[in-house]
Amino acid sequence: MTNKIENKTNIFEKIASFVVDRRNLFFFIYACLIIFSLFSMNWVKVENDITEYLSDETETKQGLKIMNDNFVTYGSARVMVSNVSYSKVLELVDEIENIDGIDAVDFDNTDKHFNNGSGLLDITFDEVAKDELSEQALLDVRNILNDYDYYIDSEISVDTAADLANEVKVIMVIAAGIIAVVLTLTSRSYAEVPVLILTFGLAAIINMGTNFLCGTISFISNSVTIVLQLALAIDYAIILCHRFSDEHVFLDAREACIVALSKAIPEIASSCLTTISGLAALAFMNFGIGLDLAVVLIKAIFCSLLSVFTFMPGLLVLFSNLIDKTKHKNLLPKITPVGKFAVLTKYIIPPVFVALIVVGCIFSNKCPYVYTYNELETANASEMQIAKSHIKNKFGSSNMLAVVVPKGNYDKERNILNEIEELDGVSKTMGLANIEALDGYMLADALDPREFSELADLDYEVANLLYSAYALNYDQYGELINGVSNYKVPLFDIFMFLNNEMNDGNIHLNSDIQDTLDDLFEQLEKAKLQLQSDNYSRMVVYLDLPEESEETFDCLDKIHEIIGKYYDGDFYVVGNSTSAVDLSSSFIKDNLLISILSAVFVVIILLFTFQSAGLPVLLITVIQGSIWINFSVPTIMNTPLYFLGYLVINAIQMGANIDYAIVISSHYSELRKSMPAKEAIIEALNSSFATIFTSGTILASAGIIICNITTNAVIASIGECLGRGTIISIILVFFVLPQMLLLGDTIIEKTSFKIESKLGKSIKQASGTFALNGRVRGYVSGIVDAEIKGLIAGEVNASIITKNANEKIEDIEEINTEVEVQK
């Protein structure tokens, strides 16, 4: 084994020498980064509401902002108790109503609340969902129902972020086991496995630790990035590891690592470009989640590159002795039969594939996308998802909308509520204009002083004074001048004004009236917090329709039309259904944008990589075909697909799975220079199998694990599409791409625009003795692909790119080795 190599003149060799020789410095730097990252992980802010990433121009985003700034939404729960009588449910209602923290329990003898031995209770709490009082109250409800068969659908005491974090831990443990097995199968030495795992474990921790630099990241990026990072970038470490093994045969550990790294830097850098280009397309989405995912995932790829280039070389030197001692034979078989199958079917498979992708394109365009995920089923369902499903099956869908309009006109609000309530699919509406106060009067009904005095049991003189003070407070001097006896004020407004005057000590009532009004004022104050602010009024519409359906969207259009008659565009309808409309509108644009950009980015890279116009078209066709086939499955199975799964996986599949096609095509293109097409494709598949098996198995496994472990429908959708898409891509690159390469061999050759190297000329055939200082590729009882300085004696039939190719040398005194290079 040689102990040293020549002086480095290549820039990559200089960089490699610096990294390897300063490995202890890099170990120290990374140790500091790991410690810092373990602390900085806690600084990362995670956004769990996907609607936050909607465009600011959407109705949902604007309406939610106004609601969050102006109104309070108290906690609620839908509780179904099964296998009970109606009388027993009434007893339970009485018990639950007496729980501290429960404001009201809505239950009656209609089929909306009692159906075939099951009762549905709509519970409203005194505080918001995240308040401790609400959490304790819900716990008390559970204690009362312990002896019954019950289901609770509520956001109270549900920590989605914590649940998802726990699920990711399980996913990582399972994924780590699969990764270890796959790496062992594809490794050349057992000691390579810990080197690879340490490298990517470090990269994953640093990426998570630097997420705080992004400000706030989505729960999607926070949960799936670590798995995708390992799956997408594992090839980088494998390339360097195999390069090191090859060089270590002739060089010691340090020199082998320098040479391996210098050769791997450009190879790995170019390999990651396709992945990054696909991810970069996400950043152009109108839906802000795309930019969030793109930034975090691309940063993850760069962290992986950095760890492979600067941390892994030191590990290879450190583990070199152990790597030498634990070498093992190739554990993966040759796939020569696949290559022979490609040769036999080169005229059959391509036309079948063309027909298949046409069908896939048609079916994928009919994919049943959905834009809300509350009703999506996951392989592993949470308690709340199970409860939602049981309640839906027993009592049907429940869908709530909030209508926000400018404050100040109860007549308009009353008319809106009345008209909306007449629509098909609307079960009820609620607003200040249709809530009953006392004795049949609604809160928005306008009363004069006499009517109010009779209703509130006040002296008429006191009522007159109250109305006068009200008119004075709101600068309505005309009413004072004309006399307030005929002055009518909405009941809600005068009650709230009376409450303020009593609190300020301006009005004193006897104790009986005071007690009666105090209870009323408490209810009115809650109603005000929920339904009226200084600038806006909020009304609630309850639909007996699913969140997404043609009937639902038609109903939404009619609601907008009704409100539009009274308010000129200054209103908002907010809910999961309106969010679905906004997301579907965004999806149409983003779908087209990502499909075009990801394909264009990849094509540009492939053109420069292969210097051929035909080959990139073949590769893109295969991967785009796999995408269409992937997303035709939901159509065929008639199962809804969450739209974000398509957008994310479309970009990842194009950017990452294209690497599988590139690996086979690269090997085939090189081998084709020195052997017939049939032999070249067989050898190319054998040479590529380990790489594609490693990356593909890990990526597919990651998707399948995510899909089957997480209870989050968004994450599960991404995992399902990722796993299925990767498997389809692997099948196509092994059983379709080889045939297309064979059939398109002439096209690839004719569309090539490769520029000959300026270093020298290509000598195809020659014989005799030559002095060479360049690169020779051919056969000498095997493939020669090396930088050669010396003499070749014999017949030459090879591709020779030389820096200095001398003419034939006639007289050579001593030839140590005779070399025959034949095709």
Side-chain angles (χ1 to χ4, degrees):
M1 181 180 291
T2 305
N3 292 321
K4 63 180 181 178
I5 59 178
E6 296 181 1
N7 292 333
K8 293 82 182 174
T9 57
N10 186 291
I11 181 63
F12 295 124
E13 291 180 348
K14 293 179 180 179
I15 294 173
S17 297
F18 176 80
V19 170
V20 173
D21 291 338
R22 301 292 188 275
R23 56 187 177 275
N24 289 330
L25 172 63
F26 282 105
F27 285 158
F28 174 75
I29 293 173
Y30 278 110
C32 295
L33 284 175
I34 287 292
I35 295 172
F36 173 80
S37 296
L38 292 174
F39 283 100
S40 62
M41 285 180 192
N42 299 317
W43 305 344
V44 180
K45 296 179 181 178
V46 180
E47 178 56 64
N48 294 305
D49 185 2
I50 200 169
T51 59
E52 283 295 319
Y53 294 93
L54 282 169
S55 168
D56 291 337
E57 299 174 357
T58 58
E59 180 181 26
T60 300
K61 184 67 173 291
Q62 294 175 2
L64 284 173
K65 185 178 188 307
I66 289 174
M67 289 208 310
N68 292 334
D69 293 343
N70 290 272
F71 302 103
V72 174
T73 301
Y74 291 110
S76 62
R78 302 179 78 210
V79 179
M80 186 176 81
V81 187
S82 300
N83 305 314
V84 291
S85 64
Y86 178 75
S87 59
K88 175 56 68 176
V89 180
L90 287 177
E91 294 177 12
L92 293 173
V93 169
D94 290 336
E95 288 187 65
I96 292 173
E97 283 180 328
N98 292 323
I99 294 175
D100 187 28
I102 300 291
D103 178 58
V105 180
D106 188 10
F107 175 77
D108 54 40
N109 197 20
T110 65
D111 58 3
K112 293 181 180 178
H113 286 98
F114 191 79
N115 184 10
N116 292 328
S118 295
L120 181 63
L121 315 181
D122 289 317
I123 302 175
T124 304
F125 294 80
D126 284 325
E127 300 295 341
V128 297
K130 294 184 179 180
D131 190 88
E132 291 183 3
L133 182 61
S134 298
E135 293 177 356
Q136 182 58 49
L138 185 62
L139 181 60
D140 293 338
V141 171
R142 291 182 182 276
N143 291 334
I144 290 175
L145 301 176
N146 266 341
D147 296 331
Y148 299 89
D149 183 13
Y150 71 93
Y151 301 93
I152 296 179
D153 174 16
S154 176
E155 296 291 339
I156 297 173
S157 299
V158 175
D159 190 342
T160 305
D163 293 342
L164 194 54
N166 291 331
E167 290 168 1
V168 170
K169 291 177 183 177
V170 176
I171 290 170
M172 283 307 303
V173 170
I174 298 174
I178 292 176
I179 289 171
V181 171
V182 172
L183 291 178
T184 301
L185 289 174
T186 57
S187 67
R188 300 176 181 179
S189 166
Y190 294 115
E192 291 176 355
V193 177
V195 171
L196 297 171
I197 292 177
L198 283 173
T199 300
F200 273 93
L202 176 138
I205 292 173
I206 292 176
N207 186 55
M208 289 189 293
T210 53
N211 278 338
F212 77 94
L213 297 174
C214 301
T216 300
I217 65 173
S218 69
F219 69 95
I220 301 174
S221 298
N222 190 54
S223 56
V224 303
T225 297
I226 184 171
V227 179
L228 291 180
Q229 180 183 5
L230 292 175
L232 292 174
I234 195 71
D235 284 352
Y236 310 154
I238 293 174
I239 289 172
L240 178 58
C241 197
H242 288 179
R243 283 282 187 186
F244 174 77
S245 298
D246 292 339
E247 301 297 337
H248 195 31
V249 174
F250 304 104
L251 302 171
D252 64 15
R254 173 187 172 276
E255 299 293 352
C257 199
I258 292 173
V259 174
L261 182 58
S262 66
K263 293 180 179 179
I265 288 176
E267 183 178 355
I268 294 172
S270 61
S271 174
C272 81
L273 281 177
T274 53
T275 303
I276 291 176
S277 65
L279 296 174
L282 289 171
F284 293 90
M285 285 172 55
N286 187 52
F287 188 27
I289 200 75
L291 178 61
D292 177 82
L293 279 165
V295 170
V296 177
L297 284 171
I298 290 175
K299 180 167 66 68
I301 297 298
F302 279 120
C303 286
S304 297
L305 279 178
L306 191 65
S307 65
V308 169
F309 288 160
T310 60
F311 179 69
M312 188 175 174
L315 288 181
L316 289 172
V317 175
L318 188 65
F319 279 74
S320 59
N321 290 333
L322 193 57
I323 290 174
D324 292 338
K325 294 177 182 178
T326 58
K327 287 185 181 295
H328 59 76
K329 65 178 182 179
N330 191 353
L331 301 177
L332 289 180
K334 295 279 188 180
I335 57 169
T336 300
V338 176
K340 292 181 178 179
F341 173 79
V343 174
L344 292 174
T345 59
K346 69 176 181 178
Y347 295 113
I348 301 173
I349 295 297
V352 172
F353 175 65
V354 170
L356 186 62
I357 62 175
V358 170
V359 174
C361 179
I362 295 171
F363 277 93
S364 66
N365 286 325
K366 295 180 179 180
C367 187
Y369 298 110
V370 293
Y371 304 92
T372 60
Y373 50 86
N374 285 330
E375 296 184 7
L376 285 178
E377 295 182 0
T378 56
N380 182 26
S382 65
E383 179 186 356
M384 189 167 72
Q385 288 170 324
I386 294 172
K388 281 181 183 291
S389 178
H390 279 282
I391 294 173
K392 177 185 175 182
N393 292 336
K394 199 73 172 181
F395 292 96
S397 300
S398 175
N399 189 3
M400 186 179 74
L401 302 174
V403 177
V404 180
V405 298
K407 172 192 172 184
N409 196 319
Y410 291 120
D411 291 335
K412 289 183 178 181
E413 294 176 27
R414 184 185 299 107
N415 292 337
I416 288 172
L417 291 171
N418 290 338
E419 289 188 43
I420 290 177
E421 198 158 325
E422 295 298 319
L423 295 175
D424 292 337
V426 176
S427 59
K428 68 175 182 177
T429 60
M430 184 182 72
L432 291 178
N434 69 352
I435 294 177
E436 184 176 351
L438 296 170
D439 297 341
Y441 285 108
M442 299 297 174
L443 283 176
D445 288 347
L447 279 66
D448 62 28
R450 183 168 297 281
E451 291 170 329
F452 181 74
S453 66
E454 294 173 355
L455 178 66
D457 198 18
L458 290 174
D459 289 339
Y460 178 63
E461 291 76 12
V462 174
N464 267 322
L465 289 173
L466 178 64
Y467 272 63
S468 297
Y470 182 91
L472 184 63
N473 186 72
Y474 290 99
D475 300 329
Q476 297 179 1
Y477 302 113
E479 303 295 342
L480 290 173
I481 295 172
N482 296 327
V484 296
S485 59
N486 296 320
Y487 180 29
K488 290 195 172 186
V489 178
L491 189 55
F492 178 79
D493 294 345
I494 197 66
F495 266 130
M496 297 306 299
F497 182 74
L498 174 59
N499 184 37
N500 292 334
E501 292 299 304
M502 291 171 61
N503 290 336
D504 293 340
N506 298 326
I507 295 178
H508 300 279
L509 303 174
N510 63 57
S511 58
D512 292 340
I513 298 175
Q514 182 77 49
D515 291 341
T516 302
L517 291 179
D518 282 346
D519 292 338
L520 177 62
F521 290 151
E522 184 179 352
Q523 296 301 316
L524 292 178
E525 188 64 36
K526 286 187 176 181
K528 181 176 178 63
L529 291 173
Q530 296 180 82
L531 301 174
Q532 190 181 80
S533 69
D534 292 339
N535 299 307
Y536 295 96
S537 290
R538 179 166 68 170
M539 297 170 279
V540 182
V541 179
Y542 296 90
L543 305 180
D544 288 331
L545 297 171
E547 291 178 347
E548 296 182 58
S549 70
E550 289 186 11
E551 293 83 358
T552 305
F553 296 146
D554 287 342
C555 186
L556 276 177
D557 290 337
K558 293 175 182 177
I559 290 173
H560 279 90
E561 183 179 342
I562 290 171
I563 303 171
K565 292 190 301 185
Y566 300 95
Y567 295 95
D568 187 18
D570 189 18
F571 65 88
Y572 305 93
V573 181
V574 183
N576 288 336
S577 295
T578 53
S579 174
V581 173
D582 289 333
L583 289 171
S584 64
S585 176
S586 171
F587 171 71
I588 294 172
K589 301 175 184 176
D590 290 339
N591 180 17
L592 181 62
L593 188 67
I594 286 180
S595 298
I596 292 175
L597 288 181
S598 58
V600 168
F601 290 160
V602 171
V603 165
I604 292 173
I605 293 170
L606 294 180
L607 284 173
F608 282 99
T609 301
F610 293 104
Q611 297 183 31
S612 168
L615 186 54
V617 173
L618 292 180
L619 303 190
I620 289 292
T621 300
V622 171
I623 299 304
Q624 186 60 59
S626 72
I627 293 173
W628 284 333
I629 294 171
N630 184 14
F631 292 105
S632 66
V633 173
T635 304
I636 296 170
M637 302 297 293
N638 195 28
T639 55
L641 173 67
Y642 190 63
F643 79 105
L644 198 57
Y646 176 84
L647 291 177
V648 174
I649 301 308
N650 187 10
I652 290 178
Q653 202 171 338
M654 179 59 73
N657 292 172
I658 194 72
D659 281 349
Y660 309 156
I662 292 173
V663 170
I664 292 176
S665 302
S666 297
H667 281 284
Y668 175 74
S669 297
E670 286 297 316
L671 293 167
R672 189 67 184 87
K673 298 173 183 177
S674 55
M675 62 176 67
K678 295 179 181 180
E679 297 177 15
I681 200 65
I682 294 173
E683 184 60 32
L685 289 173
N686 282 326
S687 302
S688 308
F689 180 60
T691 301
I692 298 174
F693 175 83
T694 304
S695 178
T697 302
I698 293 174
L699 193 58
S701 300
I704 294 170
I705 294 168
I706 290 171
C707 175
N708 287 278
I709 296 297
T710 185
T711 59
N712 186 287
V714 179
I715 306 299
S717 176
I718 293 174
E720 179 184 10
C721 295
L722 177 66
R724 185 176 62 226
T726 302
I727 292 172
I728 292 171
S729 295
I730 293 173
I731 292 173
L732 292 187
V733 297
F734 278 127
F735 293 97
V736 174
L737 179 63
Q739 288 89 330
M740 295 184 69
L741 290 174
L742 289 171
L743 197 61
D745 193 67
T746 303
I747 298 175
I748 295 171
E749 181 67 26
K750 289 184 176 180
T751 58
S752 174
F753 51 86
K754 179 174 287 189
I755 301 171
E756 295 291 348
S757 172
K758 295 181 180 179
L759 294 178
K761 59 183 180 179
S762 178
I763 302 175
K764 297 297 183 182
Q765 291 183 334
S767 62
T769 302
F770 290 86
L772 293 179
N773 178 8
R775 179 170 177 162
V776 178
R777 182 176 178 80
Y779 270 93
V780 184
S781 298
I783 297 175
V784 174
D785 187 353
E787 298 292 335
I788 296 179
K789 291 183 180 180
L791 301 176
I792 288 184
E795 294 183 357
V796 178
N797 188 350
S799 174
I800 306 176
I801 306 300
T802 69
K803 298 176 184 176
N804 179 21
N806 295 328
E807 296 297 330
K808 179 180 176 182
I809 299 175
E810 298 291 350
D811 299 317
I812 299 294
E813 294 182 358
E814 181 179 48
I815 302 295
N816 293 324
T817 306
E818 289 191 359
V819 182
E820 182 177 352
V821 185
Q822 300 180 15
K823 186 173 181 179

